[in-house]
Amino acid sequence: MHQVQKHFGPLHVLRDIELEVGRGEVVVVIGPSGSGKSTLCRTINRLEPIDSGLILIDGELQPQEGTALARLRADVGMVFQSFNLFSHMSVLKNVTVGPTKARGVKRSQAEDRARELLERVGVAEKADAMPSELSGGQQQRVAIARALAMDPKIILFDEPTSALDPEMISEVLDVMVELAEAGMTMVVVTHEMGFARKAADRVVFMDHGEILEVRAPADFFDDPETDRAKDFLSKILSH
């Protein structure tokens, strides 16, 4: 991302964003509500168009529309706050629909891969269930399997645990930690500081649409450079 600007009307939500994420790197984006974290995440696969600046994925300029944009979205997985599973499809169908429709994978092959991924995220026994029959934590793990089924170059996580009950959060974070350890390129917007400490290669701290710090987790949490980050951490780490 180079000099990325984004407005919502008079609100300047992304200001001069400069960020590079290396292959296999886990970058965790944190900051107060309304700081632009989710918008930053959503511009990477063009769910939010930008006003100016450049976003390149794997050296290629982000396409604006059409089949090239569809291809970009296939390469950039996304896991949302609210799961966004297709409610009228079984778990297995949710995970196979992308590869069969967007990648042209044979159905039998897609199903074999889907079952492998459901096993990996710990919900193999739910393959034939409908999303409404699953807990929030199980639905989010299916959403992660669905993103992985596309063999993406990078996965974006937009506050993936914020809609979950506390006991379900760890089951989703455990899967994400495993992905990080396996070398998946990830950009994660989250309030889970334990995950940031454990799994991040770098922490990006945002406020008012700006990136104020990009640091290794230990450096950021133990010795933040900016007063804004010190204030933020003092409030969230004191409870």
Side-chain angles (χ1 to χ4, degrees):
M1 304 180 81
H2 176 56
Q3 292 187 341
V4 170
Q5 310 282 352
K6 170 73 180 171
H7 292 79
F8 288 125
L11 273 182
H12 197 170
V13 289
L14 293 179
R15 301 168 183 263
D16 290 315
I17 296 296
E18 297 281 343
L19 182 64
E20 194 165 317
V21 179
R23 188 166 305 185
E25 191 178 23
V26 178
V27 171
V28 173
V29 185
I30 63 175
S33 293
S35 58
K37 307 182 299 293
S38 287
T39 303
L40 181 147
C41 193
R42 292 166 69 88
T43 60
I44 296 172
N45 67 351
R46 221 172 174 279
L47 282 178
E48 293 290 353
I50 59 174
D51 299 331
S52 62
L54 300 174
I55 299 178
L56 293 98
I57 309 236
D58 220 4
E60 290 185 28
L61 206 55
Q62 188 193 54
Q64 299 301 298
E65 55 196 18
T67 53
L69 181 59
R71 202 160 52 243
L72 164 87
R73 296 226 172 104
D75 283 341
V76 180
M78 180 117 190
V79 177
F80 299 89
Q81 186 175 335
S82 52
F83 324 135
N84 284 18
L85 296 178
F86 300 115
S87 59
H88 63 292
M89 291 181 185
S90 71
V91 163
L92 188 68
K93 191 79 196 288
N94 261 282
V95 180
T96 58
V97 67
T100 53
K101 292 270 194 293
R103 296 263 196 233
V105 176
K106 283 190 189 142
R107 198 173 125 194
S108 59
Q109 202 179 331
E111 286 187 357
D112 288 346
R113 173 86 172 122
R115 289 185 193 280
E116 264 172 46
L117 291 169
L118 292 171
E119 178 81 45
R120 183 174 174 184
V121 299
V123 286
E125 76 287 356
K126 299 292 183 186
D128 299 320
M130 300 302 281
S132 59
E133 299 171 83
L134 273 56
S135 70
Q138 289 169 332
Q139 288 191 58
Q140 195 58 297
R141 285 184 281 156
V142 171
I144 293 172
R146 181 176 65 177
L148 288 170
M150 296 296 285
D151 288 322
K153 292 175 178 173
I154 179 172
I155 300 187
L156 313 172
F157 293 84
D158 186 10
E159 300 200 14
T161 58
S162 59
L164 299 176
D165 293 335
E167 72 270 20
M168 292 174 191
I169 290 174
S170 65
E171 65 189 49
V172 172
L173 291 178
D174 286 349
V175 170
M176 291 170 63
V177 168
E178 280 173 27
L179 287 182
E181 288 170 349
M184 173 58 72
T185 311
M186 297 161 64
V187 174
V188 184
V189 174
T190 187
H191 296 291
E192 299 295 332
M193 298 302 139
F195 173 81
R197 262 189 195 274
K198 186 173 183 179
D201 294 299
R202 287 184 298 155
V203 171
V204 171
F205 176 71
M206 291 185 72
D207 190 35
H208 288 107
E210 289 183 278
I211 292 178
L212 298 186
E213 298 195 31
V214 182
R215 312 272 303 287
D219 296 339
F220 176 74
F221 286 110
D222 298 341
D223 187 23
E225 287 176 337
T226 59
D227 290 339
R228 185 66 191 93
K230 284 174 189 161
D231 181 53
F232 175 77
L233 288 172
S234 72
K235 286 175 179 156
I236 60 162
L237 297 178
S238 59
H239 296 292

